[in-house]
Amino acid sequence: MQLKTSSTYVLLLLLLLYLSNTNTELIGLKKQFKLFVKNVASTFHENWRRHYLSEHPHTRNRFKLTQNGSHYNSSDFIYPMILTVGSCLVHRNLKVARARFNSSITYVDILNMNYDELPVDWAYENRATAQVACRQVLQSIRQKLLFNRDLVEKISKKIHNAWIKRNAHRTAKELLSPYENLPEVEKDKDRRAFVIACRLFNELHLYHYFKTTPIHLNDISFE
């Protein structure tokens, strides 16, 4: 009887140890995925800035409405300027503006902000795109798919469809078109999100954590 009790106790200890190790591993994987998403979101934003400036060499800023501008100190809005969004008072950092006659309306210059400077709503958009791209990278690896142009197009379509779901209420109708009908310049944004995720998966050595091998992109470059 005592031997049976001891055996049961040992089995319980082994089970608890297994569950503890499994839980620790899951926490570690979640942490690595979060790091993966943040790096892709940041790189994706910087990539967008670079491409936008190359396509619009005379553009100096791109102010966009934000719902998360209340934390800026009102006394720091000191420069009266006429911007593309109207008459504003511009923050001393030159990256934030408020409507001159309605201080509840705040704009941010997403072109001159790095990812960590973006307000919550604009950072969320980059992060949401990155999450889709990162999940698709991991799913494609698990399914042992070939990372070629066909896969890039397939995943880019998914990234675009997810973007439509998030932005259907606030974007131009032409951008709500099916992926196949988008102009190439818009398709490239979705393609770059996936390719960036693939590249960073390798550069961050995430294949070690997810117990797989590096991704081999076959003659693909949209960055």
Side-chain angles (χ1 to χ4, degrees), residues 37-47 114-116 126 130:
V37 169
K38 181 178 180 181
N39 276 273
V40 171
S42 177
T43 304
F44 182 64
H45 178 63
E46 294 307 313
N47 184 279
N114 60 41
Y115 176 74
D116 291 331
N126 284 276

Side-chain angles (χ1 to χ4, degrees), residues 36 39-56 126 129-130 132-134 137 149 151-153 155-157 159-160 179 183-200 217 220-223:
F36 187 21
N39 276 273
V40 171
S42 177
T43 304
F44 182 64
H45 178 63
E46 294 307 313
N47 184 279
W48 170 80
R49 290 173 65 190
R50 178 164 54 83
H51 278 273
Y52 191 90
L53 286 170
S54 68
E55 293 162 5
H56 306 83
N126 284 276
T129 293
V132 177
C134 292
V137 165
R149 287 181 177 270
L151 181 63
V152 171
E153 289 303 295
I155 303 305
S156 298
K157 181 177 179 179
I159 291 172
H160 178 64
Y179 177 79
E184 286 300 309
V185 67
E186 294 299 330
K187 287 182 179 179
D188 279 347
K189 293 177 184 177
D190 299 314
R191 292 164 178 156
R192 285 196 288 267
F194 183 60
V195 172
I196 286 170
C198 292
R199 176 171 62 80
L200 289 178
L217 287 171
I220 297 172
S221 178
F222 293 102
E223 293 188 69

Side-chain angles (χ1 to χ4, degrees), residues 8-145:
T8 303
Y9 180 69
V10 170
L11 286 172
L12 283 173
L13 282 177
L14 289 173
L15 178 61
L16 288 172
L17 182 62
Y18 170 77
L19 291 174
S20 176
N21 288 338
T22 301
N23 188 50
T24 301
E25 185 177 359
L26 286 174
I27 292 172
L29 289 177
K30 287 181 180 179
K31 183 178 179 181
Q32 291 303 319
F33 183 75
K34 188 175 181 180
L35 174 69
F36 187 21
V37 169
K38 181 178 180 181
N39 276 273
V40 171
S42 177
T43 304
F44 182 64
H45 178 63
E46 294 307 313
N47 184 279
W48 170 80
R49 290 173 65 190
R50 178 164 54 83
H51 278 273
Y52 191 90
L53 286 170
S54 68
E55 293 162 5
H56 306 83
H58 302 297
T59 300
R60 293 291 175 265
N61 52 57
R62 186 166 171 77
F63 280 92
K64 290 287 188 177
L65 182 68
T66 178
Q67 303 301 321
N68 303 102
S70 59
H71 64 283
Y72 293 105
N73 193 328
S74 296
S75 62
D76 287 330
F77 290 85
I78 57 177
Y79 303 116
M81 293 185 186
I82 303 297
L83 304 173
T84 54
V85 291
S87 179
C88 294
L89 287 174
V90 177
H91 194 278
R92 63 176 70 249
N93 67 11
L94 301 179
K95 299 178 182 181
V96 186
R98 280 187 178 159
R100 196 166 186 179
F101 303 107
N102 188 346
S103 60
S104 66
I105 299 176
T106 304
Y107 304 95
V108 289
D109 182 6
I110 61 173
L111 185 60
N112 288 296
M113 284 184 165
N114 60 41
Y115 176 74
D116 291 331
E117 292 178 297
L118 291 172
V120 173
D121 48 357
W122 284 97
Y124 165 78
E125 187 54 45
N126 284 276
R127 189 169 63 253
T129 293
Q131 285 175 337
V132 177
C134 292
R135 287 195 188 101
Q136 291 301 322
V137 165
L138 296 178
Q139 287 180 17
S140 298
I141 290 171
R142 292 191 184 106
Q143 295 170 13
K144 298 181 179 180
L145 300 179

